[in-house]
Amino acid sequence: MLERAELEAKLATYVGKETGPPSAGPDLVNEAMIRHWCEAMGDENPIYPDAEAAKESAHGGIVAPPTMLQAWSMRGMAQAKLMETSSDNQLAVHNLLTQNGYPSVVATNCEQEYTRYLRPGDQVISHTVIESISEQKATALGTGYFINTRTTFRDQKGEPVGWMTFRVLKFKPNAAPAAATTTATAAPAAPRRLRPPLGHDNKWWWDGINAGELRIQRCKECQTLRHPPRPMCGKCQSIEWDWAVSKGAGTVYSFVVMHYPPIPGYDFPLPVALIDLDEGTRLVANVVGCKPGEVKIGMRVQARIEAADEEMQLPFFHVVK
């Protein structure tokens, strides 16, 4: 392994470099993907999927939700295979840190700006540069390096349509507590579910779970409910909020059954559902009380806050029979 100073000097050589050449998205902006996005996100603005409503708007036709910007450049599962043989500089940075004892990664920040609305038929071309790599930092997760990338998005005419900065922490996890370590005579500790990072914006929600409550954030100004927790109301932009306690009753809006990759601490196959709570918000949770193949869209479910392991409580949604 490299000494810290030598490692940081080598990392610095990547700053300012492009991760690779500009890359055109696999599909043109199209109405089918816009519709699917709006359904998945619960975005009911008619100017996105409804041609007649869009025609009467200031746009004069269908436009894509601005937050889809990155989606037009993503290559799905094919990207994983490309990365295996890629000369991408971002991958080189990650490999360098992995080889020097920093194997874990977590996304920490994302900022986007949109220059104009995209329309069906537009081509999105992305170009990413490694903007900065921090010096070594100590965090609650462990010691590591923050990597910032800046992606510029352009259309088929070369005109900018937006940008995105993305930050990840590539880190060496903190050592497990003494109680979780193993000895020559003790069995290895059983794997546990991933722990959520706690901060000002979400700790109150987890405190509620530990108190046996499924809380929903509520705007104090317009009373709009929202989930997941965030600092500002998307409807009126107020930053004043409190919460309501959900009764936990809801309906399966959508779901997947995970089979692969197997993640330690979870039982597979694993039904993961988007639940429509009766109060009007949605959250992602596991469905229990039936076989994975029996989960159906529209199925009525009821939340119970139960132990996921010896330390963590979670809302599990049981099938209402």
Side-chain angles (χ1 to χ4, degrees):
M1 291 190 184
L2 301 176
E3 294 294 330
R4 175 177 169 182
E6 187 179 359
L7 173 62
E8 292 186 357
K10 194 163 186 177
L11 289 172
T13 65
Y14 288 96
V15 176
K17 289 185 177 181
E18 59 181 11
T19 61
S23 175
D27 298 291
L28 301 180
V29 176
N30 63 84
E31 294 182 25
M33 287 178 64
I34 292 172
R35 185 177 68 255
H36 294 162
W37 173 280
C38 291
E39 289 177 355
M41 301 301 292
D43 192 333
E44 299 178 353
N45 189 331
I47 67 169
Y48 301 142
D50 187 330
E52 290 301 318
K55 186 177 180 180
E56 298 300 320
S57 74
H59 303 288
I62 285 179
V63 293
T67 49
M68 285 189 75
L69 180 61
Q70 185 190 15
W72 301 114
S73 67
M74 299 176 76
R75 295 183 172 276
M77 297 301 293
Q79 184 67 24
K81 294 181 179 179
L82 288 173
M83 294 297 282
E84 293 175 0
T85 57
S86 173
S87 57
D88 185 292
N89 279 319
Q90 184 172 203
L91 180 62
V93 169
H94 281 248
N95 286 341
L96 176 61
L97 286 166
T98 297
Q99 293 161 7
N100 283 275
Y102 302 88
S104 300
V105 65
V106 62
T108 63
N109 297 80
C110 180
E111 297 180 24
Q112 296 185 351
E113 181 174 287
Y114 316 112
T115 306
R116 72 163 175 88
Y117 280 90
L118 293 169
R119 297 177 180 273
D122 276 333
Q123 173 81 67
V124 177
I125 299 154
S126 60
H127 183 222
T128 302
V129 172
I130 299 173
E131 193 171 54
S132 65
I133 302 175
S134 74
E135 61 185 14
Q136 189 181 93
K137 300 288 186 180
T139 74
L141 292 175
T143 302
Y145 295 85
F146 289 100
I147 305 166
N148 275 21
T149 56
R150 172 89 168 198
T151 302
T152 301
F153 298 94
R154 298 181 181 274
D155 62 16
Q156 61 275 15
K157 298 178 181 178
E159 298 294 328
V161 295
W163 57 260
M164 175 181 72
T165 58
F166 199 79
R167 173 185 287 184
V168 301
L169 172 66
K170 189 79 166 125
F171 66 101
K172 179 189 305 178
N174 288 327
T181 59
T182 61
T183 66
T185 57
R192 304 182 305 174
R193 286 182 174 235
L194 297 173
R195 267 36 188 175
L198 300 180
H200 170 76
D201 291 332
N202 72 339
K203 185 176 182 298
W204 62 272
W205 190 86
W206 288 100
D207 289 343
I209 294 297
N210 292 333
E213 296 180 347
L214 181 57
R215 297 173 177 176
I216 308 174
Q217 196 172 26
R218 176 176 57 196
C219 175
K220 280 188 175 181
E221 295 295 326
C222 67
Q223 302 300 300
T224 298
L225 300 174
R226 62 182 188 260
H227 187 85
R230 46 196 182 272
M232 179 182 289
C233 176
K235 185 173 182 180
C236 73
Q237 286 72 58
S238 171
I239 59 173
E240 300 298 324
W241 57 269
D242 56 11
W243 67 76
V245 178
S246 171
K247 294 180 179 179
T251 303
V252 173
Y253 179 81
S254 181
F255 73 95
V256 297
V257 177
M258 292 181 60
H259 294 267
Y260 186 86
I263 302 172
Y266 296 78
D267 295 324
F268 288 81
L270 180 67
V272 181
L274 182 61
I275 307 295
D276 241 336
L277 292 174
D278 288 354
E279 287 84 1
T281 55
R282 295 174 181 159
L283 82 162
V284 176
N286 296 135
V287 175
V288 298
C290 68
K291 296 178 180 179
E294 294 174 347
V295 179
K296 304 292 182 185
I297 290 175
M299 175 182 283
R300 290 292 293 174
V301 288
Q302 175 65 47
R304 298 180 198 168
I305 296 175
E306 300 172 335
D309 54 42
E310 69 279 3
E311 294 180 358
M312 187 167 68
Q313 303 283 319
L314 284 175
F316 291 94
F317 281 80
H318 291 252
V319 176
V320 175
K321 298 180 179 179

